[in-house]
Amino acid sequence: SFQTSFYGRFRHFLDIIDPRTLFVTESRLKEAVQLLEDYKHGTLPPGVTNKELWGAQKIKQAIIHPDTNETIFMPFRMSGYIPFGTPIVVGLLLPNQTLASTVFWQWLNQSHNACVNYANRNATKPSPTSKFIQGYLGAVISAVSIAVGLNVLVQRANKFTPATRLLIQRFVPFPAVASANICNVVLMRHTELEEGIDVLDNNGNIVGSSRIAAKHALLETALTRVVLPMPILVLPPIIMSILEKTSLLRSRPRMILPVQSLVCLAAFGLALPLAISLFPQMSEIETSRLEPEIAVATTSKTVVYNKGL
């Protein structure tokens, strides 16, 4: 079923990013997969409720890759994104960073992103490890150089007062992360642009391999990767610069880090489902907009593809 409305997708992705699915055992996962198989073949044991079926569906979608049917490694699942990503965000937003710490947090963030992008890619075509390494290096180098470059610019700008400089520095992570995220998605998945991705008709049969669909898939994913860090890297600095003026935090400087961590966690929890709900994971595209050989190969007016997350 397509999540046609934004709200429908939002609820669907809240399920996919629910961190509780990280604690599902191997046997519970097997049970869930078996239940869905039985349902598909009409051999459900009596007494299975709809609620149990939806529960099984939720577990399978959160843990298993739709194209490879393999289990996704825990820290790289969408459900692991917030718990594993929040500490990195807190690090990115630490005030008064040295050059070394800027480099370290940007590197860690892009490493985590590269693995998440790769683990949740469209995997209808095999992709060599060398491509993964190229993409990974490109993303890390772009993030680090943009962040360092922006920091140096801010330091050199004489017309800023020290207070303004500190404030501007707090926003440096966003342009660095957003532009590197685009590089990351494109580099981690550029094989798809060369070889195309499988497009399916309404019955789920593969019609062909389309580069145009791949371009759409990458563009949509890249857009979500610009929207995603916005609330995460822009809201906490604003909220923190207000909170740090309060007497509570002024008298208790030790509280700043825990408070900032909570603020980052909340921003992440809001931003992730919002960003990935922008486009359906299974995207629909009119056959007429694709390559002529695909338009000829099917009678369907539209075909679908997994855009990856």
Side-chain angles (χ1 to χ4, degrees):
S1 70
F2 290 126
Q3 300 108 23
T4 40
S5 72
F6 173 78
Y7 178 66
R9 293 198 293 273
F10 187 71
R11 291 196 38 190
H12 162 74
F13 284 122
L14 279 181
D15 269 354
I16 284 199
I17 66 169
D18 184 345
R20 289 175 303 187
T21 56
L22 293 172
F23 302 105
V24 169
T25 58
E26 191 68 32
S27 55
R28 176 81 185 88
L29 175 64
K30 282 205 177 94
E31 250 171 61
V33 172
Q34 191 51 53
L35 202 60
L36 294 167
E37 280 300 303
D38 292 347
Y39 174 73
K40 211 158 84 183
H41 300 126
T43 53
L44 264 187
V48 173
T49 62
N50 260 347
K51 199 176 165 195
E52 287 175 83
L53 274 175
W54 281 112
Q57 173 88 343
K58 171 174 170 173
I59 288 175
K60 183 182 173 185
Q61 281 180 332
I63 300 176
I64 288 181
H65 193 288
D67 299 333
T68 61
N69 283 321
E70 285 169 14
T71 304
I72 299 173
F73 181 52
M74 193 191 280
F76 308 150
R77 291 178 202 160
M78 276 296 165
S79 53
Y81 208 1
I82 295 176
F84 289 94
T86 301
I88 300 175
V89 170
V90 174
L92 279 172
L93 293 174
L94 288 172
N96 306 325
Q97 299 233 11
T98 60
L99 195 62
S101 68
T102 301
V103 171
F104 171 75
W105 291 111
Q106 290 285 352
W107 164 76
L108 194 60
N109 182 43
Q110 290 305 325
S111 301
H112 185 229
N113 277 348
C115 295
V116 171
N117 287 344
Y118 185 75
N120 295 284
R121 70 196 185 286
N122 175 311
T124 50
K125 297 270 186 304
S127 150
T129 321
S130 61
K131 289 275 164 78
F132 173 83
I133 295 165
Q134 278 170 6
Y136 168 69
L137 289 174
V140 169
I141 292 166
S142 62
V144 169
S145 44
I146 294 163
V148 171
L150 286 171
N151 269 327
V152 171
L153 275 180
V154 174
Q155 292 296 354
R156 293 237 171 114
N158 302 327
K159 55 181 184 297
F160 297 135
T161 62
T164 317
R165 196 173 292 166
L166 271 178
L167 191 67
I168 296 176
Q169 253 177 319
R170 289 189 132 167
F171 293 100
V172 163
F174 174 64
V177 168
S179 36
N181 281 358
I182 298 175
C183 298
N184 199 321
V185 170
V186 174
L187 292 165
M188 293 310 299
R189 295 176 50 179
H190 73 104
T191 344
E192 296 170 34
L193 290 175
E194 292 158 25
E195 298 182 12
I197 55 176
D198 290 351
V199 290
L200 317 166
D201 65 13
N202 303 337
N203 304 322
N205 305 317
I206 296 177
V207 176
S209 189
S210 164
R211 286 182 185 165
I212 298 174
K215 206 155 64 185
H216 281 267
L218 251 74
L219 191 69
E220 289 175 358
T221 310
L223 267 173
T224 63
R225 290 295 189 278
V226 173
V227 173
L228 177 62
M230 260 182 216
I232 303 174
L233 297 175
V234 173
L235 284 177
I238 296 173
I239 295 169
M240 287 309 294
S241 61
I242 296 166
L243 289 179
E244 280 166 18
K245 293 190 174 75
T246 61
S247 55
L248 179 75
L249 285 187
R250 273 194 167 155
S251 56
R252 299 181 187 75
R254 279 204 189 140
M255 292 287 292
I256 291 181
L257 197 59
V259 170
Q260 181 166 346
S261 306
L262 276 175
V263 171
C264 290
L265 183 65
F268 212 140
L270 167 85
L272 184 61
L274 271 177
I276 56 180
S277 308
L278 288 176
F279 304 101
Q281 180 167 5
M282 293 305 284
S283 276
E284 212 171 350
I285 189 166
E286 287 161 21
T287 321
S288 57
R289 291 169 61 191
L290 297 178
E291 289 86 343
E293 63 269 24
I294 289 179
V296 178
T298 178
T299 51
S300 295
K301 285 257 191 309
T302 60
V303 286
V304 296
Y305 56 88
N306 169 12
K307 83 165 177 49
L309 281 179

